[in-house]
């Protein structure tokens, strides 16, 4: 065996290498490592400094960068991060693009590790490189501009999209070869086949590529990137769930707001797993573990001792949910009943859900599958349960009402209870929605004529609602739009057609475009109605509500964050707070529940706003008078000139003097012409002014309208 070289021999080899051009960095670095072992760290640092100086002087940027990354820990102790940046720029003095990329890496603004990550990424983004962006999906690098410090990428559906170098560092990753979007880019036909024939495999691949996510996030991801059409999502997801049942690595949650998880390895459910379960104290996790065990088919032939562990933990979980979380209590009760456990007694569990109508509170948040299971569990009591359910129809959430009526619709008690509610002046929105959709399944019921039901439905569509009632309103509106032709042609006599035509024509339940379409469809079936349209054509039209595409995209981003981030986080906060114990004195739990109510209210408001307000670029707007899509120049009586650009409801920008058409200023200027005297709002009251000119929108404003906000 040969003797290891001495320090003097290593030093001579190193100095010989330093004299060579180009300097062989890959050979020199191992010698520096050897010097640290043979002599001491100081010598290694000296040699590193010598190497860096030689590489910087000779503008060897690749070699210098290699040394910096290899010796980063020791270099960072002696050099400031800005000094490392300056060394890199000195070595890249002949390369303008590399210099721009070094600046974008943010040495001094981030940790050294993060700056290296950013620069590694930027250096790898040569034209032709496949990248992935969180918003735009997969794309191919087209070019890099060192002057404007921008990168141009061809994304699917967004060709020639530009990003600043700094933004690219934050949003882009190089596409891994096995990433789902890489597969789609390289083999679009293959991924489409996977989506159609092996949907469960596609979902598993999405989880491997993007990490664990909620069902809502998964839907958005797959629809946005073109794997599944929005209209086909339900069919796709039903098939995917079936396919994933045989995949032990994927865990599908009960709630849409919980994460679908991809495990690293198959769970064996051995003694160690059962031991962990036996000391688990979180009621939600106890239930999830039990359902997971059941889903894996492990309850069949379970030993008495092991069965006792589940009975003990579920009884503990029931106590945790008692009087605090009706939805969790209902899920636990159904699980205990399904598994045939004897403790706690089933009648006791049912009594608690009936008491204070906790089952109604539970149904407000449970998914449909759990509502169905809860309804079946309670209905097993027979006539007593039937009566209690029917007495509560008016206040029952739709999904529970649907389960109850689907089960009891053949009984005379259900027919009588529904008929009484339908003939009341205040019909519950849930029952109107149900009877419109399923009236053909209850031919023996005594219900109002369809024209009366539609009148009730349209009145509901005109009301300002929130929460469950708002969801019913949207569902009823969609039903009328989808079924109008069939009902109008097959079920209504001439007088009823005239009544419905007049009712829809006078209604504010639809935007003007949809309203005109509905009227046109009715006229096509009954041409004589055209005369009634002419007679009432002078009625005041509902004002069109508009805003810029920029503001629409900002509001959509707010809604998306609410659905994908804030609501799931709040659900997690509630689960964590619930684990703290007695919820009656648990401030964290109460605060999280209060915040959940605020978020759900905000969700309803955003849904309504995004449905009612339309995006526009304000093109082809006349500028003979002030209004949305115009720029107004005015002079106050004190001689001060002011300029305002009036756009839509959500538009505002102080620097560009953009104001919403809902502001007092915009309403004061509305309809006025150049030369008109106006009274405008000012601090402390009002002041007279004169309109000097009204202009069309400038190119700067038009660019603002169509450019998404960077926030």
């Amino acid at each position: 065996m040969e003797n290891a070289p001495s320090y003097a021999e290593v030093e001579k080899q190193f100095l010989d290498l330093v004299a060579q051009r180009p300097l062989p960095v890959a050979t020199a670095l191992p010698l520096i490592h050897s010097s640290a072992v043979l002599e001491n760290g100081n010598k290694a640092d000296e040699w590193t400094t010598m190497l860096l100086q030689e590489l910087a002087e000779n503008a060897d940027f690749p070699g210098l960068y290699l040394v910096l990354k290899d010796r980063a820990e020791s270099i960072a102790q002696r050099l400031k991060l800005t000094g490392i940046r300056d060394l890199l720029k000195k070595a890249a003095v002949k390369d303008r693009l590399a210099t721009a990329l070094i600046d974008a890496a943010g040495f001094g603004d981030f940790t050294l590790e993060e700056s290296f990550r950013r620069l590694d990424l930027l250096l790898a983004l040569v034209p032709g490189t496949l990248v992935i962006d969180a918003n735009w999906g997969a794309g191919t690098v087209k070019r890099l501009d060192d002057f404007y410090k921008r990168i141009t990428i061809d994304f699917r559906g967004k060709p020639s999209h530009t990003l600043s170098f700094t933004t690219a560092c934050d949003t882009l990753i190089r596409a891994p070869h096995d990433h789902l979007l890489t597969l789609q880019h390289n083999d679009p036909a293959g991924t489409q086949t996977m989506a159609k024939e092996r949907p469960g495999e596609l979902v598993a691949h999405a989880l491997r590529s993007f990490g664990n996510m909620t069902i809502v996030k998964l839907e958005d991801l797959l629809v946005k990137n073109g794997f599944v059409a929005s209209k086909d999502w339900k069919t796709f997801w039903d098939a995917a769930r079936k396919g994933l049942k045989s995949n032990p690595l994927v865990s599908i949650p009960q709630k849409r707001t919980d994460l679908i998880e991809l495990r690293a390895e198959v769970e064996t459910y051995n003694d160690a797993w059962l031991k962990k379960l036996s000391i688990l104290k979180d009621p939600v996790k106890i239930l999830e573990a039990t359902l997971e065990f059941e889903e894996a088919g492990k309850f069949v032939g379970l030993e008495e001792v092991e069965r006792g562990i589940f009975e003990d933990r579920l009884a503990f979980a029931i106590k945790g949910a008692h009087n605090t979380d009706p939805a969790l209590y209902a899920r636990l009760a159904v699980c205990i009943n399904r598994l045939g456990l004897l403790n706690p007694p089933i009648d006791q569990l049912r009594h608690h859900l009936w008491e204070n109508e906790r089952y109604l509170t539970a149904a407000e948040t449970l998914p449909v599958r759990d509502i169905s299971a809860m309804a079946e569990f309670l209905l097993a009591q027979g006539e007593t349960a039937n009566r209690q359910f029917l007495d509560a129809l008016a206040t029952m959430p739709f999904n529970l009402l649907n389960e109850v009526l689907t089960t009891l619709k053949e009984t005379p008690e259900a027919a009588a209870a529904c008929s009484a509610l339908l003939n009341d002046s205040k019909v519950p929105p849930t029952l109107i929605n149900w009877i419109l959709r399923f009236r053909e399944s209850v031919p023996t019921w005594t219900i109002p004529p369809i024209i009366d039901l539609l009148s009730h439905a349209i009145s509901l569509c005109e009301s300002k609602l929130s929460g469950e009632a708002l969801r019913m309103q949207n569902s009823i509106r969609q039903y009328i739009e989808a079924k109008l032709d069939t009902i109008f042609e097959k079920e209504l006599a001439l007088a009823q057609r005239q009544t419905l035509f007049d009712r829809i024509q006078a209604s504010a339940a639809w935007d003007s475009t949809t309203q005109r379409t509905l009227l046109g469809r009715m006229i096509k079936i009954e041409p004589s109605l055209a005369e009634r349209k002419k007679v009432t054509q002078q009625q005041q039209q509902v004002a069109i509500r508009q805003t810029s595409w920029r503001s629409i995209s900002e509001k959509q981003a707010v809604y998306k964050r609410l659905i994908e981030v804030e609501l799931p986080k709040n659900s997690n906060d509630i689960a964590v707070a619930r684990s703290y114990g007695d919820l009656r004195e648990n401030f964290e739990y109460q605060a999280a529940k209060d915040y959940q109510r605020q978020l759900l209210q905000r969700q309803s408001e955003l849904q309504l706003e995004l449905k009612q307000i339309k995006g526009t670029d304000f093109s082809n707007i006349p500028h003979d008078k002030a209004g949305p899509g115009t720029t107004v120049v005015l002079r106050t009586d004190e001689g001060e000139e002011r300029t305002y650009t009036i756009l839509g409801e959500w538009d505002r920008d102080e620097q560009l003097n953009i104001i919403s058409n809902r502001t007092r200023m915009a309403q004061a200027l509305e309809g006025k012409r150049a030369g008109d005297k106006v009274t405008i709002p000012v601090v402390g009251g009002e002041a007279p002014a004169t309109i000097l000119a009204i202009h069309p929108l400038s190119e700067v404003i038009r660019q603002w309208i169509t450019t998404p906000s960077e926030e």
Side-chain angles (χ1 to χ4, degrees), residues 417-435:
C418 291
S419 296
L421 287 173
L422 289 168
N423 284 291
D424 191 280
S425 59
K426 294 183 179 180
V427 187
T430 47
L431 184 58
I432 280 286
N433 191 28
W434 192 89
I435 202 68

Side-chain angles (χ1 to χ4, degrees), residues 477 481 504 510-519 614:
R477 188 183 288 113
E481 292 171 11
I504 290 179
W510 288 273
D511 61 81
S512 58
T513 301
T514 304
Q515 187 180 49
R516 285 196 300 271
T517 300
L518 295 176
L519 296 178
K614 308 303 178 184

Side-chain angles (χ1 to χ4, degrees), residues 477-527:
R477 188 183 288 113
Q478 292 167 4
Y479 174 85
I480 294 173
E481 292 171 11
K483 299 294 184 180
L484 178 65
D485 293 4
T486 301
I487 294 173
F488 202 74
E489 184 172 13
K490 296 182 178 180
E491 299 190 53
L492 302 184
L494 177 59
Q496 294 173 322
R497 291 179 177 181
Q498 292 172 344
T499 299
L500 182 60
F501 183 89
D502 292 344
R503 185 71 182 83
I504 290 179
Q505 185 168 214
S507 176
W510 288 273
D511 61 81
S512 58
T513 301
T514 304
Q515 187 180 49
R516 285 196 300 271
T517 300
L518 295 176
L519 296 178
R521 285 161 58 183
M522 289 185 280
I523 290 173
K524 186 175 181 180
I525 296 170
E526 182 59 64

Side-chain angles (χ1 to χ4, degrees), residues 674-686:
D676 285 355
K677 300 287 186 181
V678 293
T679 300
I680 61 172
V682 295
V683 177
E686 296 179 334

Side-chain angles (χ1 to χ4, degrees), residues 326-327 330-331 333-335 337-338 350 353-354 358-360 362-363 366-390 393 396-408:
R331 293 177 65 205
V334 168
C335 180
N337 180 61
R338 187 175 60 249
R350 287 198 180 99
L353 287 171
W354 288 122
R358 292 188 181 92
Y359 71 98
L360 292 180
L366 285 174
V368 174
R369 182 172 51 179
D370 287 331
I371 289 175
S372 177
M374 180 183 70
E376 182 181 355
F377 172 67
L378 293 174
L379 283 166
Q381 278 189 300
E383 291 186 8
T384 301
N386 297 355
R387 186 166 55 254
Q388 286 188 261
F389 269 133
L390 293 174
L393 281 178
M396 195 175 287
F398 178 79
N399 290 329
L400 179 58
L401 179 142
N402 181 42
E403 292 294 332
V404 170
L405 291 184
T406 300
T407 303
L408 302 180

Side-chain angles (χ1 to χ4, degrees), residues 195-214:
K196 292 178 181 178
E197 300 178 3
R198 306 185 305 280
E201 182 181 332
L202 183 73
V203 170
H205 211 124
L207 295 173
R208 280 194 295 273
S209 300
F210 296 96
N212 299 335
M213 66 187 87
T214 65

